[in-house]
Amino acid sequence: QLPWSIAENRPALRSLVRQVTSKVTLGKRAGIEDIVTRYLELNPADNHGFRGLLMNWYLECGKDQLALDIAERYPDDSSIELQLGVVLALYRLKRMVDAQNALARALKLCPVAAHYLTASRVKTPNLLEGELPLNDDALAWAYREDMRKEWKKVPGVLDWVKECAGIPTKKKGLQQGKLPF
């Protein structure tokens, strides 16, 4: 292992970080799984937050169990990618009780996530050029931009999120049961 906290390890880790960021910037996804997996083996503390990128990649590739395995390695991670990624993976694996509990945890951490994920259109939060999203609206919007297409591929999941979160739907017009939090 090469923990980032030890300065002598950083040049080697930077090489992997540059490879990942270059591929993401250029939109080249081939090989990213191998690079991020290697980075996480060397630096399990994941100082660069690549576990969220890997979670999204696994979900895009239909590797739901691997997505859950990543989340299991980081049980205290409160990132929206891991929190909502677990929900999607569990839903697709038809583990509905676990999925509903995971959704409740995710919405406790980011209450606006359900709205941003399920709304057909949302307003882009005010962000300065190059600014990292730091508030719930910006984080939920960024997640939506990256992953809503994956959620939309799963029949019924967005309506299920609305129902669980108590968001009115056009079909029903009334709020359904709220999550217990």
Side-chain angles (χ1 to χ4, degrees), residues 88-109:
L88 182 58
L90 290 169
Y91 186 94
R92 292 196 307 202
L93 292 169
K94 299 187 184 342
R95 293 173 49 190
M96 300 312 292
V97 171
D98 293 334
Q100 188 166 0
N101 291 334
L103 181 60
R105 282 191 302 278
L107 296 182
K108 192 177 276 188
L109 292 168

Side-chain angles (χ1 to χ4, degrees), residues 161-178:
V161 169
K162 283 181 182 181
E163 182 179 330
C164 289
I167 297 172
T169 62
K170 290 179 183 175
K171 294 177 189 172
K172 297 177 183 152
L174 298 174
Q175 287 191 348
Q176 301 296 311
K178 290 221 178 236

Side-chain angles (χ1 to χ4, degrees), residues 3-15:
W4 181 263
S5 58
I6 299 173
E8 291 80 18
N9 295 336
R10 291 180 184 171
L13 291 171
R14 278 191 190 109
S15 171

Side-chain angles (χ1 to χ4, degrees), residues 67-88:
L68 293 176
D69 293 346
I70 284 292
E72 200 171 283
R73 286 172 49 190
Y74 299 94
D76 297 325
D77 190 301
S78 61
S79 72
I80 196 166
E81 292 86 4
L82 262 62
Q83 294 294 317
L84 289 176
V86 166
V87 175
L88 182 58

Side-chain angles (χ1 to χ4, degrees), residues 13 16 33-43:
L13 291 171
L16 293 172
E33 179 181 350
D34 293 336
I35 298 167
V36 173
T37 300
R38 183 68 179 136
Y39 169 86
L40 293 175
E41 289 169 355
L42 293 171
N43 182 31

